[in-house]
Amino acid sequence: MIGNINILNTEILSDNWYVLKKITYEYTKKDGSVKTQTREAYDRGNGATILLYNKEQGTVILTRQFRLPTYINGNKDGMLIEACAGLLDKDNPEDCIRRETEEETGYKIKDVRKVFEAYMSPGSVTEILYFFIAAFSKEMKVAAGGGVEHEEENIEVLEIDINKAMSMIETGEIKDGKTIMLLQYLKLNQLL
């Protein structure tokens, strides 16, 4: 038992791509009564995301790629504009985000700044996402980006004016939560 939680049973429902578990547990409420509940939790590992920004140009680097879950939930073409991101794959968050940035955007960055971390969907997904920002310049572009072939990524790299990106949130062109959080972080902290 950890704190007031006692795991009674864990059943693996699927481990095809990531792991979906059905967990039965009991917990002690404030009044001392003990309740039993069953929930499902999807474990896909932890991840990192980054927003590259250019203060002089007033621009940010975003990506556009097909996201099946958005397609089956009403996104007409399944394409999503978002900040560069990836799973840690046993790396620390800083190394992961440097690797993902170069693979997805073609920018080789050195100085990354962690700004916060968050559970993105704590009702059903175990993932903690580490949020980073980094300044970029044209000189840092070392490749085309677009992702890596063995992961079957097909990513379009976008450089967008920060004010345009903010208006794209209002118009619904940007609907990705992590991207909205990072764009708002830049604006709130007057980095652009």
Side-chain angles (χ1 to χ4, degrees):
M1 181 184 262
I2 300 174
N4 64 344
I5 305 295
N6 184 24
I7 304 292
L8 301 173
N9 186 49
T10 300
E11 176 185 351
I12 294 180
L13 300 177
S14 173
D15 65 355
N16 290 330
W17 190 254
Y18 301 113
V19 180
L20 178 61
K21 296 177 182 176
K22 181 179 179 181
I23 300 169
T24 302
Y25 63 96
E26 57 186 20
Y27 70 98
T28 305
K29 294 174 64 172
K30 289 180 185 177
D31 67 5
S33 63
V34 177
K35 298 292 179 185
T36 301
Q37 291 190 334
T38 300
R39 296 287 185 266
E40 293 179 3
Y42 193 53
D43 185 352
R44 45 170 277 137
N46 294 329
T49 185
I50 192 166
L51 186 59
L52 303 180
Y53 67 96
N54 183 302
K55 196 166 185 82
E56 291 74 32
Q57 299 295 318
T59 58
V60 294
I61 298 293
L62 296 173
T63 63
R64 182 183 359 241
Q65 63 183 308
F66 178 76
R67 295 297 197 184
L68 177 65
T70 73
Y71 180 76
I72 61 177
N73 195 23
N75 183 1
K76 289 181 185 174
D77 63 3
M79 300 301 284
L80 199 65
I81 296 173
E82 57 189 299
C84 170
L87 294 177
L88 299 187
D89 296 329
K90 299 182 183 174
D91 278 340
N92 67 55
E94 291 83 4
D95 289 342
C96 166
I97 206 57
R98 284 187 187 94
R99 180 190 72 244
E100 289 292 335
T101 300
E102 191 168 339
E103 289 175 1
E104 291 189 6
T105 71
Y107 286 92
K108 187 173 187 77
I109 54 169
K110 294 178 186 157
D111 299 319
V112 298
R113 186 170 117 209
K114 180 182 166 196
V115 292
F116 53 87
E117 58 189 66
Y119 290 99
M120 295 302 292
S121 189
S124 60
V125 180
T126 63
E127 179 184 34
I128 295 173
L129 193 59
Y130 299 89
F131 288 76
F132 294 89
I133 59 172
F136 81 93
S137 65
K138 299 291 183 199
E139 296 76 36
M140 295 177 179
K141 186 83 166 171
V142 297
V148 291
E149 193 157 326
H150 76 271
E151 293 180 12
E152 299 180 13
E153 294 177 312
N154 183 21
I155 299 169
E156 180 184 358
V157 181
L158 309 170
E159 184 171 356
I160 302 175
D161 177 86
I162 184 64
N163 294 319
K164 170 71 175 161
M166 296 305 290
S167 70
M168 290 169 78
I169 296 169
E170 292 180 24
T171 63
E173 294 168 87
I174 294 177
K175 289 185 175 182
D176 176 61
K178 67 184 178 300
T179 304
I180 293 168
M181 292 166 74
L182 282 168
L183 287 167
Q184 290 178 339
Y185 180 89
L186 281 185
K187 289 303 265 186
L188 286 170
N189 289 278
Q190 301 176 352
L191 296 170
L192 277 184

